Amino acid sequence: MSEQFDVAVIGAGMVGASVSARLGATHKVALLEMEAQAGFHTTGRSAAIWIRNYGPPDVRVLTGLSYDFYQNPPEDIGTDRLAVGRRVLYLAPAAQTGALDALIAQDLGIEEISMARAKEICPAIIDGYAMRAGLESDGFDMDVAALHQFFLRRMRAAGGQLMLRHKAGRIERKNGVWEVETSSGAVITAPVVVNAAGAWGDEVARIAGLQPIGLVPCRRTAAIIDPAPWDVEHWPLVQSAAHDWYIRPEARAKLMVTPCDETPDVPHDVQPEELDVAIGIDRMQQALDINVRRVEHSWAGLRTFTPDRSLAFGWDNAVPGFFWCVGQGGYGIQTAPAASVLVAAMVKGEDPGPAGRIIPKINPMRFR
Ligand SMILES: Cc1cc2nc3c(=O)[nH]c(=O)nc-3n(C[C@H](O)[C@H](O)[C@H](O)COP(=O)(O)OP(=O)(O)OC[C@H]3O[C@@H](n4cnc5c(N)ncnc54)[C@H](O)[C@@H]3O)c2cc1C
């Protein structure tokens, strides 16, 4: 016995949840997730920051179009802290002033500030580390869990089904529809499959008998330290202009530190390497006078990139009804509100609105 749906979305991270919520208004959606918990992989491991000037141009379009959602979310979002202001301070040592110039030249709101001003904003900066500094003022911390749950609630309220512990193990096109058999033995059919499997995106395509597009999952490590005696609550996210380390305050007395590592890996439940944690702390300590007595907690997640590091949203041209929604790299949360609107419109064949101009550039078939 199989159950029929209009769309089967594979992967219940932020991408699959948000797309399912948007499609759920008009389509019967099955959202398949192999883990016992939605968001177990990359979505639950992000740094949760929205930065306008991050990622390639197509990503920035979706980041910008998501701004209003974060600032004026729907009433039932479930938190009054979906977006909490967090400026971004860029520090440029002598060898990185070119990188700072390039950031400022984009004209997307990064202004150069004096080192004296930078030190007022983040008093731990070590004299002599940086020659110049830039400040981006409209960044914010995102409540990722609240946003993810909001999309899952929306999807369910519209009659969609979240099917946890259902790994899509067989995906076959038969008589004009997809038949998806899961690890729990369920068989569902749907004319459309949306591949929102993150690091597993190429694997899901292979299961469906399609060629991969060259996705590369890359490990990124993060650690939480206690920066006492500093009170860091109102510090900005501080990073090198070349983006080889950053810190991000977590409440009053915690700091997240990362070496901005990007180590190619395979899709799995990735764990942090001690060496990467140590590199992150070492780079931070070259810039900031912070004594690290112990690492309270560390984790790693897979940021998955396409070969040109931009998004891959669109239909596979080898078979009808297989839609790719992958390549969100380090920007899948901040882009989710607008990206999901775009993807739902593309799947339905409707007017995609202002994001439509990026569709030709993010076609996954550019890698074939
Ligand atoms: C350290 C770190 C910091 C980051 N910081 C930020 C940030 O500040 N801002 C930002 O916007 N982004 C950030 N990101 C990136 C962001 O987290 C990702 O872009 C986003 O979570 C990707 O969501 P996803 O739904 O594609 O992936 P995932 O959350 O990994 O979801 C994919 C899901 O597919 C499921 N799946 C795979 N194969 C199958 C199958 N065969 N059947 C059923 N289910 C399957 C998996 O179990 C998984 O749950 C960060 C990432 C990391 C690791």
Side-chain angles (χ1 to χ4, degrees), residues 218-233:
C218 293
R219 184 178 73 231
R220 174 151 293 186
T221 309
I224 298 290
I225 59 156
D226 176 355
W230 300 108
D231 175 344
V232 298
E233 188 176 4

Side-chain angles (χ1 to χ4, degrees), residues 311-333:
L311 306 160
F313 297 176
W315 299 104
D316 197 290
N317 60 12
V319 64
F322 188 94
F323 193 94
W324 291 82
C325 189
V326 295
Q328 288 82 355
Y331 8 83
I333 313 293

Side-chain angles (χ1 to χ4, degrees), residues 5-310:
F5 292 85
D6 298 320
V7 183
V9 178
I10 300 178
M14 185 61 82
V15 173
S18 56
V19 168
S20 297
R22 307 292 194 190
L23 285 171
T26 48
H27 289 57
K28 188 180 174 196
V29 176
L31 176 56
L32 305 179
E33 170 53 53
M34 66 182 176
E35 302 291 353
Q37 186 196 334
F40 176 79
H41 289 290
T42 311
T43 294
R45 307 176 191 208
S46 89
I49 183 103
W50 184 100
I51 303 180
R52 191 183 293 279
N53 284 286
Y54 194 46
D58 308 326
V59 166
R60 292 176 192 207
V61 168
L62 294 179
T63 300
L65 289 171
S66 296
Y67 181 83
D68 282 347
F69 179 98
Y70 280 108
Q71 296 303 324
N72 303 294
E75 276 186 5
D76 56 339
I77 191 73
T79 173
D80 55 5
R81 293 175 66 79
L82 182 69
V84 177
R86 175 82 57 204
R87 292 175 294 180
V88 181
L89 178 62
Y90 298 88
L91 297 178
Q96 295 184 17
T97 54
L100 184 68
D101 284 332
L103 284 165
I104 293 169
Q106 291 166 152
D107 205 19
L108 283 170
I110 301 178
E111 48 159 353
E112 178 143 15
I113 59 170
S114 68
M115 282 310 301
R117 175 84 185 108
K119 207 159 168 170
E120 272 169 33
I121 297 170
C122 177
I125 296 171
I126 295 171
D127 291 335
Y129 168 74
M131 307 285 291
R132 291 167 55 200
L135 190 66
E136 181 170 355
S137 296
D138 64 354
F140 49 83
D141 296 344
M142 302 175 289
D143 187 334
V144 177
L147 183 64
H148 190 219
Q149 288 303 318
F150 162 78
F151 283 131
L152 292 173
R153 273 199 313 278
R154 273 272 161 109
M155 192 260 324
R156 284 203 214 91
Q161 275 187 44
L162 171 62
M163 301 171 72
L164 299 172
R165 296 192 188 88
H166 283 268
K167 177 172 181 168
R170 180 175 65 80
I171 308 171
E172 260 183 289
R173 186 95 183 159
K174 281 186 179 171
N175 306 321
V177 290
W178 290 101
E179 194 174 278
V180 183
E181 186 171 349
T182 77
S183 50
S184 295
V187 177
I188 65 161
T189 60
V192 171
V193 162
V194 174
N195 179 3
W200 287 262
D202 272 346
E203 185 183 303
V204 163
R206 273 194 208 95
I207 295 170
L210 298 166
Q211 276 178 40
I213 58 168
L215 295 173
V216 182
C218 293
R219 184 178 73 231
R220 174 151 293 186
T221 309
I224 298 290
I225 59 156
D226 176 355
W230 300 108
D231 175 344
V232 298
E233 188 176 4
H234 299 296
W235 283 14
L237 181 151
V238 184
Q239 65 169 300
S240 62
H243 195 64
D244 58 5
W245 63 272
Y246 71 80
I247 55 150
R248 172 204 183 286
E250 297 260 327
R252 265 187 117 69
K254 304 277 177 230
L255 268 187
M256 187 202 113
V257 185
T258 173
C260 297
D261 46 333
E262 230 175 76
T263 311
D265 209 329
V266 293
H268 72 299
D269 178 10
V270 66
Q271 298 300 316
E273 300 280 335
E274 272 180 33
L275 180 62
D276 292 324
V277 172
I279 291 171
I281 291 172
D282 179 56
R283 289 181 184 163
M284 174 197 75
Q285 286 184 320
Q286 289 174 37
L288 305 177
D289 180 17
I290 293 175
N291 187 14
V292 180
R293 279 170 295 276
R294 76 185 176 91
V295 172
E296 296 196 355
H297 169 54
S298 63
W299 72 93
L302 294 173
R303 299 155 77 247
T304 297
F305 295 96
T306 65
D308 64 12
R309 294 178 73 90
S310 194

Side-chain angles (χ1 to χ4, degrees), residues 353-368:
R357 65 192 155 100
I358 68 170
I359 290 176
K361 296 182 205 147
I362 59 175
N363 185 344
M365 296 302 101
R366 70 190 185 278
F367 303 118
R368 286 269 173 80

